[in-house]
Amino acid sequence: MTRPKEEKPRVLALLRHTKSSWRDSELGDRDRPLNARGHQAGRLLAVHFAHQAPPDLVLCSSALRARETFAHIAQAYSAAPPVLIEEGLYLADARAIMQRIEAVPDRVSTLLVIGHNPGLHELASMLAQHGKRRDRDRFATKFPTGALVNFRIAGRWRDIAHAPRALTSYVTPRDLGDAAETDD
């Protein structure tokens, strides 16, 4: 009797863009760039990502601050991971982000989503049923700019809402050495 092939666990990383600038009041929200702290946090995150396998796919909000955050992450690898810049992720709520993740092809085993609060924080909270209590408690009330949460998912992307999953890590730029990156 042949046993069904077990699927390799998937990895989902949710990254809130790093700190953006409010200096130019003429710019629309979507066009705000990173400020100096955001660039510093991006560099710290790139060093963190360099110790991990590159994602198979990156879904990135179309906002400039998210794209600039991705540019830092991309520098962690010899070749930038495939990225889709998506209008639908700009200020998306948790439900919209979840629906987008559910549509990811099964050939993708590691997915990075770069977006915004409150949607990312709400989604991370929904998904964090299992994992280290310390990590869950840390992001329960705040998901600061540059926050990164990782999950291990058993099953297909389209089943993520009901699939067994576990919070595997939660880091912020402050954890990586940038004490200045603590605000929203």
Side-chain angles (χ1 to χ4, degrees):
M1 189 182 287
T2 307
R3 298 184 92 181
K5 182 182 172 186
E6 289 189 30
E7 293 210 28
K8 179 178 149 185
R10 299 185 193 291
V11 174
L12 172 64
L14 302 175
L15 174 63
R16 184 175 175 200
H17 64 80
T18 59
K19 190 79 173 161
S20 62
S21 175
W22 291 90
R23 184 176 294 179
D24 186 346
S25 61
E26 298 295 315
L27 286 178
D29 181 69
R30 186 183 306 264
D31 299 320
R32 288 189 296 115
L34 297 181
N35 67 15
R37 285 179 20 198
H39 285 293
Q40 174 62 20
R43 289 187 290 274
L44 290 168
L45 284 163
V47 170
H48 177 74
F49 273 91
H51 298 290
Q52 303 170 15
D56 297 319
L57 179 63
V58 178
L59 301 176
C60 183
S61 162
S62 60
L64 178 59
R65 58 194 180 274
R67 290 181 286 131
E68 287 184 338
T69 299
F70 170 71
H72 284 289
I73 302 308
Q75 292 178 10
Y77 306 109
S78 58
V83 61
L84 297 174
I85 306 298
E86 301 199 353
E87 294 290 324
L89 291 177
Y90 174 65
L91 301 181
D93 63 17
R95 178 180 215 141
I97 300 167
M98 177 74 91
Q99 288 173 339
R100 180 58 186 99
I101 292 169
E102 290 170 340
V104 169
D106 286 335
R107 69 180 177 276
V108 173
S109 61
T110 304
L111 176 66
L112 169 61
V113 178
I114 304 174
H116 311 270
N117 268 3
L120 278 182
H121 187 199
E122 291 168 358
L123 180 58
S125 296
M126 288 172 25
L127 294 174
Q129 296 171 344
H130 307 287
K132 296 177 185 171
R133 181 163 202 81
R134 181 183 73 86
D135 286 341
R136 289 184 308 187
D137 290 347
R138 282 183 61 217
F139 80 80
T141 57
K142 189 171 182 180
F143 199 70
T145 53
L148 172 67
V149 63
N150 288 289
F151 297 93
R152 188 178 56 251
I153 315 276
R156 298 175 178 169
W157 293 115
R158 68 175 170 236
D159 301 325
I160 188 173
H162 306 290
R165 58 192 178 263
L167 169 68
T168 58
S169 67
Y170 170 69
V171 297
T172 66
R174 174 179 249 183
D175 299 330
L176 301 174
D178 185 12
E181 181 71 21
T182 58
D183 311 335
D184 283 315

